[in-house]
Amino acid sequence: MNEERELKDRRETLTVVKVGGAIVEDEVQLNQLLSNFSAIPGKKVLVHGGGRRATQVAGQLGIETQMVNGRRVTDEQMLQVVTMVYGGLVNKNLVARLQANGVNALGLTGADANVIQAHRRPVKNGIDYGFVGDVDKADGQMLRNLLEAGITPVMAPLTHDMQGNILNTNADTIASETAKALAPYYEVTLIFSFEKKGVLSNPDDDESVIPTITRTDFERLKADGTVAGGMLPKLENAFNAISSGVKAVNITLATAIDGKHGTFIVE
C-alpha cells in the first residue's frame, strides 16, 4: 500500500486546458491563452470549442442553428459544418499557432487513432439532438503514448461511433473525458477557460465570481437559475471529472490559466 502511494506521489503532472469558442474568435485573448498554455510546465493537452465560428459559417450557408440546454442540435447539414469548422479550420489553426510557440502539437478528433468513441444520443423528452455523441470511452493509453513521445494533443469536439459516423460532442465533455482517461497515469489538473473570470453569481457582474462550488451548491444554483445554458454542461463535466480521479478542476478566464484564479470545483 505504501509503495502504491509512493508511486502515485511520484506521478508526473498533466494539465488539460479547454478553451471556449468565444476565445477562439478573439485574437488578443487567444494569443495570450496560447502563450500561457505553451508556458505551462510538463505535459499538457488542449481541447477546443468553436461553436461561434460554426454558427457563423452555418449562417453564411443558410443553415439554422438550434440550441437546447447549451447543446447544439446537429442534423446532417450541421454535422458537415461542425466537422469542417472544428476538425479543420479551428483545429489546424490552433496546431499551427502552437508550433509557432514551440509546442509540438498534433490535432485530433475522436476518430483519429480511435481516441474517443461515442454513441449517438437517444431521443429524450421529445428532443432529438441528431448527430450528437455521448462518450463511451476515451483511450488514455493512446493519448499517453503521444504525450510520452513529446506530442501535445489538440482535441477537437468531434467523436465517432465505430460505424463510420462522426458525432458532434460537447467540448467540455471532451475535456472531462480526456482528463479522466489520463488520470490513472498522471496527476491531472483540468482547466475550463472561457471569456468570464469564473462562474458568476450575477451574470451581469463580471466580478461576482463564486470561488468554490460543491455538488450541493451546484444543485442549488441550477434550481434557482443562477447557472443555466452552456454553464450547465461545463459544471456537470467538472463534477464528473473530479469524482473520477482528476486531481483539480478550475473554471477561469482564458488569460488566467495559472490555477490561482476563477472558480474551483470541490466534492
Side-chain angles (χ1 to χ4, degrees):
M1 185 65 73
N2 287 337
E3 189 178 332
E4 187 178 321
R5 190 179 296 114
E6 245 180 71
L7 183 62
K8 186 174 181 181
D9 290 342
R10 290 201 304 269
R11 288 193 304 172
E12 279 187 272
T13 59
L14 170 77
T15 307
V16 177
V17 176
K18 185 266 177 172
V19 55
I23 303 304
V24 170
E25 294 297 299
D26 185 315
E27 276 298 307
V28 174
Q29 290 191 79
L30 180 60
N31 281 335
Q32 188 63 58
L33 178 280
L34 293 176
S35 176
N36 292 348
F37 176 81
S38 301
I40 292 173
K43 294 177 172 58
K44 52 209 168 197
V45 177
L46 184 65
V47 179
H48 67 83
R52 293 195 182 188
R53 179 67 63 87
T55 298
Q56 179 186 34
V57 171
Q60 292 169 345
L61 295 172
I63 300 169
E64 183 182 355
T65 295
Q66 183 184 356
M67 305 291 288
V68 178
N69 293 326
R71 298 179 188 269
R72 185 181 302 268
V73 176
T74 307
D75 60 13
E76 288 188 18
Q77 282 188 309
M78 185 59 75
L79 180 64
Q80 292 179 10
V81 171
V82 297
T83 301
M84 290 187 293
V85 172
Y86 300 162
L89 183 62
V90 174
N91 187 268
K92 299 313 172 192
N93 279 334
L94 289 174
V95 168
R97 293 172 77 155
L98 284 173
Q99 297 289 0
N101 276 271
V103 176
N104 190 14
L106 175 68
L108 298 172
T109 70
D112 296 300
N114 192 28
V115 291
I116 304 182
Q117 291 180 27
H119 62 273
R120 184 167 167 170
R121 179 173 300 169
V123 176
K124 188 175 181 182
N125 299 325
I127 301 170
D128 183 357
Y129 284 92
F131 292 94
V132 166
D134 288 331
V135 173
D136 294 318
K137 63 178 181 179
D139 190 340
Q141 181 61 61
M142 177 59 71
L143 290 168
R144 182 191 185 197
N145 290 343
L146 294 172
L147 289 160
E148 293 299 326
I151 293 169
T152 294
V154 178
M155 312 284 292
L158 298 167
T159 56
H160 75 127
D161 64 0
M162 291 296 290
Q163 298 176 38
N165 299 304
I166 291 287
L167 297 172
N168 181 18
T169 303
N170 180 270
D172 292 329
T173 301
I174 296 290
S176 175
E177 293 295 334
T178 297
K180 285 165 52 181
L182 288 165
Y185 310 107
Y186 305 98
E187 291 291 340
V188 179
T189 295
L190 172 58
I191 300 174
F192 293 102
S193 71
F194 68 142
E195 68 273 19
K196 301 294 183 180
K197 292 184 177 180
V199 183
L200 305 179
S201 60
N202 177 0
D204 298 320
D205 179 5
D206 284 350
E207 302 302 320
S208 64
V209 176
I210 304 171
T212 60
I213 297 179
T214 66
R215 196 175 291 276
T216 301
D217 293 334
F218 176 46
E219 294 304 324
R220 174 177 53 80
L221 293 167
K222 186 165 56 171
D224 67 19
T226 300
V227 169
M231 187 54 71
L232 286 172
K234 196 180 301 294
L235 281 168
E236 286 164 358
N237 282 295
F239 281 105
N240 189 11
I242 207 76
S243 64
S244 301
V246 174
K247 184 180 179 183
V249 180
N250 179 211
I251 300 173
T252 187
L253 189 67
T255 53
I257 57 171
D258 57 4
K260 299 176 182 176
H261 301 84
T263 301
F264 293 87
I265 305 304
V266 296
E267 276 287 0

